[in-house]
Amino acid sequence: MSDIVSSDKLRKATAIAHPNIALVKYWGKRDEKLILPQNGSISMTLDKFSTKTTVEFLEGLEKDFIMLNSDVVLEGGVEYEKIVRFLDIVRLRAGVVLKAKVVSENDFPTAAGLASSASGFAALAVACSTAVGLDLDKKELSILARQGSGSASRSVYGGFVEWYRGEKEDGTDSYAEQLIDESGWGSFRMIAVEVVGEEKKVKSRAGMKQTVQTSPYYQSWLDTVDKDLEQVRKGLSGGNFKLVCEVAEKNCLKMHSLMLTTKPSLVYWNSGTMNVIRKVISMRDEDKGTECYFTIDAGHHICVMCEGKDVSNVQKELENLEGVKGLTICSPGDDAKLVDEHLF
Ligand code: PMV
């Protein structure tokens, strides 16, 4: 295989990536192993949060050493296996057998519904492909990141990004591309609203599998999602905030309808989430209302979209709501990239 690298190409590498929030969601796989989606999706990469990951393939390690957030050494279990499986994909491609040391840090709460797996696997894809001596372009990095976590395929890019469903069984046509870079729509804001509550019980991987198998509305989702993608693409290219966000909010509600009608039901919202939903709707519906919309992933936290000029108004309305823990105002963030400062 032309990718096989010689051992003098091995080096320590560190990358930073940002999470993304989908405007048109991905929910359901057509291939569990390769992580191929049932539908395409579009997202915005956030500037405010990031994952930093350092990887080095080393002689003398008996197993992969994986440390998260300064103090959690993974010794086994689902998360450890997921990362080792990902490292195996890279090792196989590069013809390297050495085990790796991986240290990763998030500057935001892990598994808090803020897409930490997206930034996590995008940073890991960039760092470990470089550490092993592979020289991958953005498309290859997106395909690689996708195999760690579907939404990570989009975090390889900054700005607004589309991940294609693809048709091929080998997944070579299921990757992300940038629609607009981070400076292309600088006034777009995504306010990440952290809501008080417990960590989700059903992760997206298991949840979406149950939905595909049991929700009676899954086919309707697939029948309508291409239209949502088309509308959001049109809204993004024409700078039409209302169009992008109206479609994004409806798309989120459709995804949560699938979740609610899954057996057993996936109910991710809590009373804090509801308080934000009601407030956003009432702010919008008021006379001379504020143009703001919401979107929610598989968790109880919620993101509110508005334009820069309306941020302080929206912030004032949301920050004192019952159940709201904190707000982070995000603009479009940039691509995943290599950095010089290592974590070890
Ligand atoms: O890539 P995963 O397994 O973290 O799934 C992401 C699912 C959603 O966040 C709910 C939607 C999306 O497109 O990001």
Side-chain angles (χ1 to χ4, degrees):
M1 211 161 118
S2 60
D3 275 339
I4 303 286
V5 296
S6 66
S7 59
D8 60 353
K9 289 265 179 65
L10 298 181
R11 66 169 172 111
K12 187 187 288 187
T14 302
I16 285 184
H18 301 284
N20 68 77
I21 297 293
L23 302 169
V24 177
K25 311 283 187 190
Y26 139 64
W27 195 252
K29 295 180 179 58
R30 61 187 170 89
D31 184 312
E32 294 286 329
K33 192 158 167 271
L34 287 172
I35 313 198
L36 298 177
Q38 290 270 7
N39 64 278
S41 53
I42 295 179
S43 60
M44 176 179 132
T45 300
L46 309 182
D47 67 335
K48 280 294 153 41
F49 305 114
S50 63
T51 301
K52 185 175 184 181
T53 301
T54 300
V55 180
E56 189 172 18
F57 290 84
L58 292 163
E59 305 277 355
L61 282 181
E62 270 174 26
K63 55 185 270 203
D64 292 312
F65 174 88
I66 301 166
M67 186 160 87
L68 303 181
N69 295 326
S70 310
D71 53 353
V72 184
V73 177
L74 299 182
E75 299 284 1
V78 181
E79 285 309 303
Y80 182 80
E81 292 307 328
K82 237 162 102 173
I83 296 169
V84 169
R85 194 189 143 264
F86 188 82
L87 293 169
D88 284 341
I89 293 172
V90 176
R91 274 190 281 255
L92 185 69
R93 182 155 178 183
V96 166
V97 289
L98 294 178
K99 300 295 181 196
K101 178 170 176 180
V102 178
V103 175
S104 186
E105 273 172 20
N106 286 336
D107 64 3
F108 61 105
T110 306
L114 291 170
S116 56
S117 67
S119 52
F121 278 103
L124 186 60
V126 174
C128 80
S129 59
T130 307
V132 86
L134 290 172
D135 184 20
L136 304 185
D137 63 21
K138 286 260 196 255
K139 177 177 161 185
E140 292 172 305
L141 281 171
S142 176
I143 289 176
L144 176 61
R146 188 201 75 215
Q147 293 171 76
S149 172
S151 55
S153 64
R154 300 184 307 237
S155 272
V156 167
Y157 293 96
F160 296 87
V161 181
E162 176 160 5
W163 171 24
Y164 307 117
R165 174 194 191 275
E167 298 298 328
K168 294 185 183 166
E169 280 180 20
D170 66 0
T172 50
D173 58 352
S174 183
Y175 55 88
E177 272 183 340
Q178 189 174 59
L179 297 174
I180 303 179
D181 74 14
E182 58 279 13
S183 56
W185 197 341
S187 64
F188 201 111
R189 297 287 176 277
M190 185 78 77
I191 306 180
V193 183
E194 217 187 314
V195 168
V196 179
E198 284 173 18
E199 211 178 287
K200 59 190 173 195
K201 294 204 173 54
V202 184
K203 295 242 161 88
S204 51
R205 189 160 298 197
M208 64 175 78
K209 192 172 175 188
Q210 287 165 15
T211 297
V212 175
Q213 289 165 354
T214 64
S215 172
Y217 302 129
Y218 196 68
Q219 191 54 45
S220 314
W221 163 261
L222 294 180
D223 291 343
T224 58
V225 80
D226 283 343
K227 178 88 184 155
D228 293 351
L229 288 166
E230 188 192 307
Q231 297 279 89
V232 168
R233 256 183 243 127
K234 188 172 156 202
L236 286 172
S237 66
N240 186 339
F241 183 78
K242 192 174 159 82
L243 177 61
V244 170
C245 297
E246 271 181 359
V247 177
E249 188 178 288
K250 276 284 174 300
N251 180 270
C252 151
L253 290 170
K254 280 197 284 185
M255 180 184 73
H256 282 272
S257 311
L258 296 177
M259 292 162 161
L260 292 170
T261 51
T262 293
K263 264 190 190 166
S265 287
L266 300 166
V267 185
Y268 288 112
W269 305 351
N270 66 19
S271 57
T273 320
M274 276 311 302
N275 291 344
V276 177
I277 292 176
R278 289 214 174 90
K279 179 54 83 182
V280 167
I281 293 173
S282 73
M283 284 175 74
R284 206 164 62 205
D285 288 351
E286 274 163 20
D287 202 24
K288 296 202 191 83
T290 310
E291 203 77 65
C292 57
Y293 300 85
F294 63 85
T295 186
I296 310 160
D297 282 341
H300 55 281
H301 304 292
I302 172 164
C303 288
V304 177
M305 296 165 279
C306 68
E307 290 188 281
K309 64 178 172 52
D310 293 320
V311 165
S312 56
N313 190 20
V314 175
Q315 187 176 6
K316 210 167 65 226
E317 293 289 336
L318 297 180
E319 64 196 357
N320 295 321
L321 281 181
E322 205 178 319
V324 168
K325 212 154 118 188
L327 310 181
T328 308
I329 295 147
C330 303
S331 301
D334 61 359
D335 292 13
K337 55 178 181 293
L338 288 169
V339 293
D340 292 333
E341 307 78 40
H342 303 301
L343 289 172
F344 61 87

